[in-house]
Amino acid sequence: MKYQIDTIPVWEALEFRGACMLCTLRAKTETDEIDRVLGASVMEPDVRVRTNERGICAEHQRMMFALPNRLGHALLMDTHAAEVLKKLEKIRRIAISGRKPAVRPLSARGSDKSTAGALRKLAANCVVCETIQSHMERYLYTMLHLWKTEPKFRQQFAESKGVCILHAADLIEASERHLNAKQQKEFVEICLNLLSDRLSEDEKDLNWFTQKFDYKNQHKPWGNSKNAIERTVNRLRGNCLGDVPYEKPKK
């Protein structure tokens, strides 16, 4: 276990006490990776080669475009576009020759053995997504390792706000590989109880949020309902509404 690399971010995400500690880890990893790719790494040969080959998805293109580094973004996309042009020319020649059908039957529509399929493959990958996924797999293991070996972590997790539905599924799936049968049973029970309890709290607050629009309740306190929409949606679908789920470093 690489303490500095793996355990500290997990502890920090738990102590942040966001709606889902794994959403916190993912958002922080995503921001760091965008900054890394657009920063000094933009001139590193291995980064450029991988970006040229794999590309970057639409969502991470939007995040890059929002940052004040147009030159770094342009450099990445310039060489990636040149690489795509080479592949596109090969697809064009084969399509014109008639050696590959333009489309496949519905039963094989996901295949790249057609002109349409080959074109979709050109935009199917993202180096940022792949790096985030690699980090998240390690964080899942680290979180389960800490839960298994650190009583303090186990207690704080049981008292935390839990995780969203999608990350609960990831944790439970990972627990099959990293915990024994007894540990897995206990972990799954705690994880699902947390999810159920926290979603019930979110829904209760959301219900009160809707009732506050009734004139009879306009002078009653909001309680914890003002951000109930964000909390409920983020619990159901993973973090997608509201502020970033981690504390940004002060500049």
Side-chain angles (χ1 to χ4, degrees):
M1 176 69 63
K2 298 177 181 178
Y3 185 79
Q4 292 290 333
I5 295 176
D6 292 332
T7 63
I8 288 179
V10 174
W11 275 108
E12 289 177 344
L14 178 63
E15 291 165 0
F16 179 73
R17 296 189 63 79
C20 171
M21 62 179 292
L22 284 164
C23 282
T24 295
L25 283 165
R26 189 189 187 285
K28 182 68 166 58
T29 301
E30 183 175 54
T31 300
D32 289 348
E33 182 61 15
I34 291 290
D35 289 343
R36 187 188 73 82
V37 170
L38 277 187
S41 296
V42 77
M43 299 308 296
E44 293 179 6
D46 60 327
V47 174
R48 295 291 287 276
V49 167
R50 188 162 171 248
T51 304
N52 292 346
E53 174 65 27
R54 311 295 285 169
I56 297 170
C57 69
E59 179 59 28
H60 290 130
Q61 292 283 6
R62 283 191 287 269
M63 291 180 68
M64 288 184 174
F65 191 72
L67 295 176
N69 188 353
R70 291 295 185 85
L71 176 59
H73 197 179
L75 287 169
L76 282 176
M77 291 303 99
D78 179 31
T79 50
H80 173 57
E83 185 70 22
V84 170
L85 277 170
K86 296 176 186 177
K87 297 175 182 178
L88 182 59
E89 177 59 21
K90 182 178 179 180
I91 294 170
R92 189 186 69 84
R93 290 199 309 268
I94 293 174
I96 291 174
S97 71
R99 285 182 286 153
K100 181 179 286 190
V103 296
R104 302 287 290 178
L106 286 176
S107 60
R109 191 57 59 88
S111 170
D112 65 348
K113 295 180 179 179
S114 68
T115 302
L119 288 173
R120 288 192 179 94
K121 189 176 180 181
L122 292 179
N125 300 302
C126 173
V127 293
V128 178
C129 288
E130 291 170 3
T131 301
I132 292 170
Q133 182 60 30
S134 175
H135 281 290
M136 292 308 296
E137 288 174 2
R138 191 175 72 244
Y139 286 140
L140 287 170
Y141 164 74
T142 303
M143 184 174 169
L144 290 168
H145 176 81
L146 287 171
W147 184 87
K148 180 172 62 175
T149 61
E150 295 283 348
K152 181 181 177 182
F153 184 90
R154 182 182 295 217
Q155 178 183 350
Q156 289 190 19
F157 178 69
E159 296 169 355
S160 74
K161 296 184 180 179
V163 294
C164 67
I165 287 178
L166 296 176
H167 283 131
D170 289 342
L171 278 170
I172 289 170
E173 192 171 59
S175 72
E176 297 177 2
R177 301 188 298 271
H178 301 305
L179 302 178
N180 63 37
K182 181 181 178 181
Q183 292 167 337
Q184 186 194 3
K185 183 178 183 298
E186 183 181 358
F187 179 79
V188 169
E189 181 177 353
I190 291 172
C191 192
L192 292 179
N193 285 345
L194 268 174
L195 180 58
S196 179
D197 290 346
R198 300 301 180 256
L199 184 56
S200 294
E201 293 170 4
D202 295 338
E203 192 277 330
K204 182 179 178 181
D205 289 338
L206 187 60
N207 183 265
W208 178 240
F209 180 90
T210 65
Q211 294 185 49
K212 273 290 293 175
F213 289 86
D214 187 326
Y215 75 94
K216 292 181 293 185
N217 297 321
Q218 59 182 328
H219 297 300
K220 295 180 181 179
W222 283 90
N224 294 322
S225 68
K226 284 191 175 181
N227 66 347
I229 296 175
E230 298 97 303
R231 284 190 285 116
T232 304
V233 171
N234 291 342
R235 182 83 57 194
L236 294 170
R237 293 289 176 167
N239 185 74
C240 56
L241 297 181
D243 297 332
V244 292
Y246 62 88
E247 186 176 359
K248 288 186 175 181
K250 295 180 181 179
K251 295 184 178 180

